[in-house]
Amino acid sequence: MSPSTRKKIIVISFIALYIAVGFFREFIFLNINEQSRVTFYHDNDSHVSDSMQWLSNFSYTTLYYAKWPLTLAFTALFAFLAGTTVKIAFGEKSLVKITWITYAAVFITGILFYFAGSLSGNRESTYDIARFLAGMTETPAMLVILLASFLALRRQ
């Protein structure tokens, strides 16, 4: 197997891992949201996965605020996986640095939109933007954009 083929297989493996982590993140958040609904409305019709039933031990407030550190942790994990993928694919530290900066900038921009809405007393007006930006850091979209940009940059 040529080094080029081996590198492509490793990059594809990291992209697959990135996607798998995305599905895992989605599973966790869907179950937290479902348990939040059940807890808030005191509903008996729970659709929380059997493996996540332990969430029923937490209050609505705890479930709500637990999503903040989880969002930060998953963003850091996705940034790490993206940085590693870029490092393997391109072998340039500057591109890895750009990857980390991009993830941080998008995440921080999302937080700023959220807090701007909170401070203005109209969180609903900026929540969708903040959620979209957080979603960019927690889905393959950001990785695809970065890889495509770096490929285009390399061809110039």
Side-chain angles (χ1 to χ4, degrees), residues 99-111:
T99 300
W100 278 97
I101 290 169
T102 302
Y103 271 82
V106 171
F107 186 78
I108 291 168
T109 302
I111 289 173

Side-chain angles (χ1 to χ4, degrees), residues 11-134:
V11 167
I12 290 169
S13 297
F14 267 91
I15 292 170
L17 178 61
Y18 193 106
I19 292 167
V21 170
F23 280 111
F24 178 67
R25 179 228 166 265
E26 188 69 15
F27 173 77
I28 289 173
F29 276 81
L30 284 174
N31 279 283
I32 289 173
N33 289 340
E34 173 61 10
Q35 185 58 52
S36 295
R37 181 193 67 79
V38 168
T39 302
F40 186 81
Y41 293 109
H42 306 289
D43 198 344
N44 293 326
D45 184 31
S46 174
H47 299 283
V48 175
S49 172
D50 290 340
S51 63
M52 300 291 283
Q53 287 297 317
W54 54 272
L55 290 172
S56 65
N57 297 322
F58 298 104
S59 69
Y60 173 81
T61 304
T62 301
L63 292 168
Y64 176 82
Y65 286 108
K67 293 193 291 185
W68 285 91
L70 281 173
T71 298
L72 178 60
F74 274 107
T75 298
L77 178 57
F78 286 123
F80 170 77
L81 291 171
T84 303
T85 303
V86 167
K87 181 179 179 181
I88 294 166
F90 299 99
E92 295 179 35
K93 288 184 180 184
S94 63
L95 297 181
V96 175
K97 186 176 179 181
I98 290 169
T99 300
W100 278 97
I101 290 169
T102 302
Y103 271 82
V106 171
F107 186 78
I108 291 168
T109 302
I111 289 173
L112 291 175
F113 270 100
Y114 181 83
F115 285 125
S118 294
L119 291 174
S120 70
N122 190 7
R123 192 177 339 177
E124 293 79 27
S125 66
T126 59
Y127 180 78
D128 288 340
I129 297 168
R131 186 66 206 111
F132 171 77
L133 292 170

